[in-house]
Amino acid sequence: MKVAVYPGTFDPITNGHLDIIRRAVSIFDRVVVGVAADNYKKTLFSLEERVELVRSVTRDIPGVTVKSFSGLLVDFARREEAVAIVRGLRAVSDFEYEFQMSIMNKKLASDLETVFLMTATEYSFLSSSIIRQAASLGGCIHGLVPPEVERVLLKRYGFL
Ligand code: ADP
């Protein structure tokens, strides 16, 4: 039974994230999506809201569970008995940060591999922050986030 954790802020979850989750469960037996409680980003959605949205849009994908975590990612991965950390890679700009993180995580837990999945071309420009920006100004985000996320964003920004 090979378990992977897919950590992130998911503020909110996008179709780019979902694509990575779907592809990760086709490689691993189980994927635990880890919604980070404490990081350095000020989030639009609370931890509970972010977890609830991820749960709701992954409900139909077998082999996926969603949990929040705080503290070190490698400790969360160990608790979940994961053999790998999954991360998505978009543009060159992701590379440096991801490279640093994976080296640090390897130092902290040498038995844990970081596996990078390349973004799907249609989502290569997609990030939670660009979605928040567009939605806050009333821009159309249809097809870029699950319908439920679209609804919640429109509501949050007062367009519904
Ligand atoms: P973090 O704050 O940890 O970067 P994010 O929620 O922004 O959390 O992203 C979680 C992971 O998903 C990261 O590995 C990120 O590179 C990846 N990711 C985000 N958007 C996309 C996308 N459109 N395509 C592929 N991977 C993505």
Side-chain angles (χ1 to χ4, degrees), residues 11-158:
D11 186 38
I13 185 165
T14 69
N15 285 348
H17 292 128
L18 261 182
D19 176 62
I20 297 289
I21 293 171
R22 286 211 175 86
R23 287 160 58 199
V25 272
S26 74
I27 301 171
F28 295 96
D29 299 305
R30 225 159 51 71
V31 171
V32 183
V33 181
V35 183
D38 37 34
N39 55 31
Y40 304 101
K41 298 180 180 173
K42 195 187 166 329
T43 58
L44 172 66
F45 294 104
S46 69
L47 178 62
E48 292 69 29
E49 288 170 324
R50 287 180 282 133
V51 167
E52 196 35 58
L53 279 176
V54 179
R55 244 185 218 139
S56 159
V57 303
T58 57
R59 196 159 282 144
D60 297 337
I61 311 175
V64 174
T65 50
V66 183
K67 294 185 180 174
S68 62
F69 76 98
S70 58
L72 277 178
L73 169 60
V74 292
D75 291 338
F76 173 61
R78 279 216 185 89
R79 282 198 299 278
E80 295 302 320
E81 298 181 351
V83 294
I85 297 167
V86 168
R87 295 285 287 175
L89 270 188
R90 284 159 299 187
V92 187
S93 51
D94 274 343
F95 182 79
E96 201 171 326
Y97 174 70
E98 295 294 341
F99 184 60
Q100 256 188 350
M101 286 285 289
S102 67
I103 301 244
M104 189 63 204
N105 284 333
K106 197 77 188 168
K107 273 245 173 315
L108 297 171
S110 58
D111 52 334
L112 203 58
E113 289 299 333
T114 304
V115 173
F116 295 102
L117 296 181
M118 204 57 81
T119 180
T121 44
E122 63 266 45
Y123 303 132
S124 59
F125 65 94
L126 190 55
S127 65
S128 298
S129 64
I130 204 90
I131 285 293
R132 289 194 307 271
Q133 254 178 53
S136 72
L137 300 170
C140 177
I141 51 168
H142 194 71
L144 300 177
V145 294
E148 185 175 344
V149 174
E150 189 179 350
R151 240 184 347 263
V152 169
L153 274 168
L154 291 178
K155 230 185 191 154
R156 179 65 51 109
Y157 288 117

